[in-house]
Amino acid sequence: MSATRYTLRRLAELLLVFLGVTLLIYLAVFALPGDPIAALGGDRPLPASVQAALRVRYHLDEPVLQQYLRYLGGLLHGDLGQNFAGQSVAAKMAVRWPTTIALALTAWGIEIVVGVGLGLYAGLRPGRLGDRVVLAGTILATSIPVFVLAVSAQLLFGLHLGWFPVAGDDAGWPMAYLLPGAVIAVFGLASVARLMRGSVAETMRSDHVRALWAKGLTPRQVVGIHVLRSSAIPVTTFLAIDLGYLLGGTVVVEGVFNLPGVGNLLFQAIRAHEGPTVVGVATSLILVFLVVNVLVDLLHSVLDPRIRHV
């Protein structure tokens, strides 16, 4: 299959997935039992006339599929809608994206440095104590729920030891982002370490590495150049895809550490029953992940010329 045809097919698949996922989110927010307009008043219900006017204003009096099609029409013009206070969802997200991007890149950097380092260390010592410790540590890290890990890290390193700020971003980067970034990075870091470990161990047993040893190359040349380059292909692919996960997976951590990012906006919108904000933020995060996924897939053949798309 030619590169152009494959690209068009992947873009068509992206569109179908995007429509399917956003439809499910829209139905989950607006079609499930519950009245978001009635919930706006809290303990003091809004007058019936006000509720009716708000439903007309936000087209909640229309069938849900018609609402969804109207929402898609707005997306084509870059409009993510308005919340029930009349504020633009896109404008609210614009001021929060820098925080989320800084947090995701911090976590990504920790994944690369620590994950690749641990994987390389374990892959060069298969079956030894260091290898077993790394494998056991990665299993333990992925078994702890992110909320538990975030709160525990906040209590230990923030409150008791005082090494990092407990909440907010007043301290700026990097201090305000290192602890929450490390919490997010733990799960991807474990996968990177295990993937790198397996790739290094396999590469070290390959014939071309044995030939390099036979030629008398130093360990620094063999490992630092040839083994790392061959082992980095699957790890690089995973890291590129994981960046999309990091950009969209900061909701809980931003909520715990009270960071003013897009994830925290979604967290607050869910608590406040702001359906338009929930749908708008979720749509943006899904789109970011899908675009990153497709770009990685298209660049896969560049990372490894042996790959041919069929």
Side-chain angles (χ1 to χ4, degrees):
M1 180 182 295
S2 66
T4 302
R5 289 181 58 192
Y6 181 77
T7 301
L8 293 175
R9 191 185 77 177
R10 291 294 289 124
L11 291 176
E13 292 172 352
L14 182 149
L15 179 61
L16 290 176
V17 173
F18 178 77
L19 292 175
V21 175
T22 53
L23 177 60
L24 290 176
I25 293 175
Y26 202 92
L27 292 176
V29 172
F30 290 107
L32 291 181
D35 189 348
I37 298 298
L40 292 178
D43 295 334
R44 296 183 177 181
L46 297 175
S49 59
V50 175
Q51 293 187 31
L54 288 175
R55 290 191 182 93
V56 172
R57 177 178 177 180
Y58 293 103
H59 308 287
L60 296 180
D61 57 331
E62 301 174 354
V64 66
L65 290 180
Q66 185 176 342
Q67 296 178 42
Y68 175 69
L69 293 176
R70 184 185 297 276
Y71 178 72
L72 288 181
L75 286 180
L76 295 177
H77 298 89
D79 182 12
L80 292 174
Q82 294 182 340
N83 63 11
F84 294 136
Q87 300 170 318
S88 170
V89 175
K92 294 187 68 174
M93 291 181 61
V95 299
R96 292 173 176 262
W97 268 119
T99 299
T100 296
I101 292 173
L103 179 60
L105 291 179
T106 301
W108 202 48
I110 295 173
E111 284 188 14
I112 294 173
V113 175
V114 181
V116 171
L118 289 176
L120 179 61
Y121 175 82
L124 294 175
R125 298 164 178 81
R128 300 182 186 177
L129 178 61
D131 179 33
R132 295 176 182 176
V133 170
V134 170
L135 292 177
T138 54
I139 294 174
L140 177 63
T142 55
S143 65
I144 304 175
V146 62
F147 180 80
V148 175
L149 185 61
V151 174
S152 301
Q154 191 179 48
L155 291 174
L156 177 60
F157 299 105
L159 288 178
H160 295 303
L161 297 178
W163 291 355
F164 301 97
V166 176
D169 63 345
D170 294 339
W173 191 90
M175 292 305 298
Y177 292 86
L178 282 176
L179 187 57
V183 170
I184 299 174
V186 163
F187 302 94
L189 182 155
S191 299
V192 170
R194 295 175 70 88
L195 186 60
M196 186 69 182
R197 181 257 180 199
S199 185
V200 169
E202 182 180 357
T203 304
M204 290 292 291
R205 296 191 298 266
S206 63
D207 293 335
H208 80 277
V209 171
R210 293 173 182 170
L212 294 174
W213 289 120
K215 292 180 180 179
L217 272 67
T218 64
R220 177 176 297 182
Q221 291 174 317
V222 175
V223 176
I225 299 176
H226 299 280
V227 173
L228 268 180
R229 184 171 60 186
S230 299
S231 303
I233 292 173
V235 177
T236 302
T237 303
F238 174 84
L239 285 169
I241 296 176
D242 194 51
L243 181 59
Y245 278 111
L246 292 175
L247 287 170
T250 61
V251 178
V252 174
V253 173
E254 285 186 5
V256 171
F257 287 90
N258 196 28
L259 291 172
V262 174
N264 196 12
L265 176 63
L266 179 59
F267 185 80
Q268 294 173 352
I270 293 173
R271 295 179 60 185
H273 303 286
E274 284 191 7
T277 304
V278 173
V279 173
V281 174
T283 297
S284 300
L285 296 179
I286 290 168
L287 184 60
V288 169
F289 172 75
L290 291 177
V291 169
V292 171
N293 202 328
V294 169
L295 289 177
V296 171
D297 195 16
L298 295 178
L299 292 174
H300 208 166
S301 59
V302 177
L303 297 173
D304 189 352
R306 295 171 296 178
I307 296 176
R308 293 292 181 267
H309 297 301
V310 294

